[in-house]
Amino acid sequence: MKLGDCYEAAANFVMDRCLFGPCHYTIVHAEVAGQGPLEGVNFGHAYVIDTRSNLVIDRSNGRNVTMPRDAYEDLGKINEIGNFREYEWKEVRRKMVEYEHYGPWDLETSTGL
C-alpha cells in the first residue's frame, strides 16, 4: 500500500496559517475505515478542523476537500472506531520538535497502518 502525505499536509496547512497569529485550527490524527480499494482496512489519517466553522480541511495527496466535520467523520467511521487524538497548534509545534516528524505521535491503529 502506498503511504500518503496526510500528516505532513495537515501540519503544513496549520503551520502556514498559525505560525504568526491567532489560530482557529486543530489537527486530528485518527484511525479511519478505508473505502473503495481499501475497504475493510483501517489506517491512520490526519486532517484539519476549522474550529470557527466545524469544517474539515483535507489537503492530503493533492486533495482539496472541505466538508462538514460530521459528514467527513461519518465517512471514515472515525467516531465509530473511536481511536483519535486532537491537537491544538501549540501542541503540534511541540510534538514536531520532540519527535522530529509530522506524525503520528500518539496514534496506534489496530492494523499498524
Side-chain angles (χ1 to χ4, degrees):
M1 173 185 340
K2 181 179 184 258
L3 299 177
D5 68 350
C6 61
Y7 296 100
E8 182 176 357
N12 284 334
F13 181 91
V14 172
M15 197 170 3
D16 287 346
R17 286 151 183 84
C18 298
L19 195 57
F20 297 110
C23 188
H24 53 268
Y25 297 100
T26 60
I27 291 178
V28 179
H29 291 178
E31 182 171 357
V32 302
Q35 300 174 353
L38 295 176
E39 189 170 345
V41 178
N42 288 5
F43 56 91
H45 183 58
Y47 54 95
V48 176
I49 303 294
D50 181 334
T51 58
R52 296 173 303 177
S53 61
N54 211 30
L55 291 173
V56 165
I57 300 158
D58 185 345
R59 299 295 187 261
S60 63
N61 302 320
R63 289 187 199 104
N64 188 14
V65 174
T66 302
M67 64 187 299
R69 181 178 186 173
D70 289 343
Y72 186 90
E73 292 179 345
D74 284 348
L75 283 172
K77 300 182 181 177
I78 292 165
N79 291 317
E80 184 179 320
I81 294 168
N83 184 13
F84 61 90
R85 175 78 191 271
E86 295 186 25
Y87 299 93
E88 301 291 331
W89 169 236
K90 288 181 181 180
E91 191 173 10
V92 169
R93 288 187 314 189
R94 185 179 59 74
K95 293 279 191 179
M96 286 193 306
V97 169
E98 179 182 345
Y99 288 94
E100 299 180 351
H101 61 76
Y102 294 102
W105 306 300
D106 306 304
L107 182 70
E108 292 184 29
T109 64
S110 59
T111 61
L113 301 174

